[in-house]
């Protein structure tokens, strides 16, 4: 069977169609990754910050582990709403977030292992590191689907993450404001782009 050869114009049109299909799959409704994770982070940031202010109990920081909850929700939704067309671009975006998810998990495991070895549990750096991973993952997604809001808005989260890491290095401590920084970053880099994608998907 003879393999069909595409012209340069046909190749560009095919790539464009794949990107458009991926945008549709990413932004069907408010159940997409960005909006769910964004609102989860924003709500948790307010709850944890308020709880820390009122009780001063450090164990409230553990509330951030609830960020893994959307994984279950999204996995359930994906089974019910499988895209009719899965393009190479779709697959690439999924792989990016699989890597980001793996980084989250590895960070937790390494910190647990070190805590066991040292005899002291400290997950302080989990917040800026996760923010860093999420910022990079979102920016790469924006690069793949050629969406400027996803490409540039994550820089806000990246800057906050670097600030938090440097602050911890200099002061050797974290402030409860980190919770608000984290939540604000997700509002800017996930909730806003998520709604923009939803609005654009209605016009595609």
């Amino acid at each position: 069977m003879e393999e069909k050869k595409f012209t340069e114009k046909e190749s560009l049109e095919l790539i464009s169609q794949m990107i458009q299909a991926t945008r549709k799959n990413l932004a069907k409704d408010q159940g997409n990754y960005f909006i769910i994770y964004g609102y989860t982070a924003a709500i948790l940031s307010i709850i944890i910050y308020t709880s820390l202010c009122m009780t001063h109990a450090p164990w409230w920081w553990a509330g951030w582990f609830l960020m893994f909850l959307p994984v279950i929700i999204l996995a359930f939704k994906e089974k019910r709403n499988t895209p009719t067309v899965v393009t190479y671009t779709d697959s690439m975006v999924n792989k990016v977030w699989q890597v980001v998810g793996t980084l989250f998990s590895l960070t937790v495991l390494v910190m647990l292992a070190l805590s066991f070895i040292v005899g002291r549990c400290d997950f302080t750096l989990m917040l800026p590191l996760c923010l860093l991973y999420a910022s990079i993952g979102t920016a790469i997604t924006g690069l793949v689907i050629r969406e400027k809001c996803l490409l540039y808005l994550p820089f806000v989260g990246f800057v906050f993450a670097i600030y938090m890491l440097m602050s911890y290095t200099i002061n050797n401590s974290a402030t409860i404001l980190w919770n608000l920084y984290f939540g604000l970053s997700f509002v800017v880099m996930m909730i806003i782009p998520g709604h923009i994608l939803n609005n654009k998907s209605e016009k595609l």
Side-chain angles (χ1 to χ4, degrees):
M1 184 176 179
E2 186 178 351
E3 184 178 346
K4 182 179 178 181
K5 294 183 179 180
F6 291 95
T7 64
E8 182 179 352
K9 182 179 179 181
E10 289 173 334
S11 297
L12 290 174
E13 288 178 352
L14 180 61
I15 293 172
S16 179
Q17 290 172 5
M18 289 171 60
I19 292 173
Q20 291 299 324
T22 301
R23 283 179 172 176
K24 284 185 178 181
N25 291 339
L26 274 176
K28 284 184 176 179
D29 52 30
Q30 291 191 357
N32 64 62
Y33 286 93
F34 303 106
I35 290 178
I36 289 181
Y37 273 106
Y39 278 118
T40 301
I43 293 170
L44 281 176
S45 69
I46 295 172
I47 292 174
I48 294 173
Y49 174 79
T50 304
S51 300
L52 286 169
C53 286
M54 294 176 64
T55 66
H56 303 288
W59 55 266
W60 279 106
W61 288 88
W64 282 113
F65 282 102
L66 291 174
M67 281 297 294
F68 288 99
L69 185 61
V71 175
I72 301 172
I73 298 174
L74 290 169
F76 177 74
K77 289 183 69 68
E78 282 181 355
K79 288 183 179 180
R80 297 181 58 184
N81 302 316
T82 304
T84 54
V85 178
V86 179
T87 66
Y88 174 77
T89 314
D90 287 322
S91 178
M92 187 183 299
V93 170
N94 289 334
K95 293 296 183 184
V96 167
W97 286 102
Q98 284 177 13
V99 171
V100 172
T102 302
L103 290 175
F104 286 145
S105 301
L106 281 175
T107 301
V108 173
L109 291 174
V110 170
M111 286 185 171
L112 282 173
L114 290 175
S115 298
F116 179 76
I117 294 171
V118 176
R120 184 171 63 92
C121 186
D122 186 0
F123 284 91
T124 305
L125 291 180
M126 186 73 186
L127 215 57
L129 288 175
C130 287
L131 183 54
L132 197 62
Y133 303 153
S135 300
I136 294 172
T138 304
I140 293 175
T141 301
L143 186 64
V144 171
I145 68 171
R146 299 179 184 177
E147 185 61 55
K148 290 184 178 179
C149 65
L150 281 176
L151 177 59
Y152 295 115
L153 289 181
F155 290 161
V156 173
F158 184 85
V159 169
F160 270 122
I162 298 301
Y163 166 76
M164 290 156 73
L165 289 171
M166 290 300 297
S167 175
Y168 187 81
T169 302
I170 296 171
N171 302 317
N172 198 29
S173 64
T175 70
I176 60 174
L177 285 174
W178 280 22
N179 297 283
L180 296 182
Y181 297 156
F182 192 91
L184 177 61
S185 297
F186 270 71
V187 169
V188 174
M189 73 180 187
M190 287 198 172
I191 293 179
I192 293 176
H195 284 296
I196 292 175
L197 280 174
N198 284 345
N199 291 332
K200 287 186 176 182
S201 70
E202 296 175 359
K203 302 175 183 178
L204 293 176

